[in-house]
């Protein structure tokens, strides 16, 4: 697999999660182990540009794929999170940013969410859309307003 632009070889047991392979075998510590059940999003990474919960993915499933963690990200969202106070303790921030990048790509591709108005093609990126699309990423500090503002800013909606 390729991790943040570097081809890496991994010899892991079939039951090792992508998150554990990244953190324990490769020393890539941006993705965090929050709930280890796919409910919090702290482990979110991009696999071929698509956001996934790395705690639910088996490393062997991603052989030959491009994995991007926060360490490999260079995106305007990073500065927007700071500018709009979209982080506090920072634990969830890597997953939030990776998820937001994936979410913006999904939106740009015209993929609807559960709250998308059927009349909007492509769907308008509203606060409600962002909240729905980012609902799999939890922030225990409650920086949600800043996160939404940062995404709206980068998307050009503010």
């Amino acid at each position: 697999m390729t991790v943040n632009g570097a081809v890496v070889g991994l010899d892991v047991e079939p039951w090792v999660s992508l998150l554990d392979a990244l953190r324990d075998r490769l020393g890539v510590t941006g993705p965090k182990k929050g709930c280890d059940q796919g409910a919090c999003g702290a482990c979110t990474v991009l696999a071929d540009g698509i956001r996934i919960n790395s705690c639910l993915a088996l490393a062997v499933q991603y052989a030959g794929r491009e994995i991007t963690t926060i360490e490999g990200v260079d995106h305007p969202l990073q500065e927007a999170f700071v500018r709009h106070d979209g982080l506090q303790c920072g634990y969830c921030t890597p997953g939030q940013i990776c998820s937001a990048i994936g979410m913006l790509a999904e939106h740009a591709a015209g993929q609807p969410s559960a709250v998308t108005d059927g009349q909007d093609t492509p769907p308008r990126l509203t606060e409600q859309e962002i909240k729905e699309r980012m609902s799999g990423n939890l922030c225990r500090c409650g920086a949600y307003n800043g996160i939404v503002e940062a995404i709206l800013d980068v998307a050009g909606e503010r």
Side-chain angles (χ1 to χ4, degrees):
M1 82 178 62
T2 302
V3 178
N4 299 325
V7 176
V8 298
L10 277 176
D11 186 20
V12 296
E13 297 82 2
W15 57 83
V16 173
S17 72
L18 179 58
L19 176 62
D20 288 341
L22 290 168
R23 291 184 60 82
D24 301 339
R25 311 281 172 99
L26 298 175
V28 179
T29 58
K32 304 292 191 275
K33 190 175 279 195
C35 66
D36 209 21
Q37 299 175 354
C40 74
C43 67
T44 304
V45 300
L46 300 168
D48 298 328
I50 298 169
R51 59 186 172 158
I52 64 165
N53 290 332
S54 62
C55 73
L56 297 180
L58 297 174
V60 295
Q61 293 175 283
Y62 291 87
R65 309 268 301 272
E66 172 71 37
I67 304 300
T68 305
T69 70
I70 193 66
E71 290 89 345
V73 168
D74 182 14
H75 196 280
L77 273 168
Q78 292 162 297
E79 290 182 15
F81 265 60
V82 173
R83 195 169 46 253
H84 292 282
D85 201 23
L87 63 137
Q88 288 182 24
C89 81
Y91 193 84
C92 73
T93 306
Q96 294 276 1
I97 290 174
C98 285
S99 186
I101 291 168
M103 183 271 301
L104 287 171
E106 292 164 9
H107 177 262
Q111 295 176 11
S113 77
V115 298
T116 301
D117 179 359
Q119 305 302 312
D120 290 342
T121 308
R124 252 186 83 240
L125 193 58
T126 62
E127 286 186 32
Q128 183 181 16
E129 277 286 337
I130 292 170
K131 289 176 182 178
E132 171 63 25
R133 291 171 185 264
M134 293 292 291
S135 65
N137 289 80
L138 303 179
C139 173
R140 291 183 166 103
C141 297
Y144 296 114
N145 291 336
I147 291 167
V148 170
E149 288 300 317
I151 294 169
L152 286 167
D153 183 5
V154 169
E157 298 292 333
R158 287 274 192 251

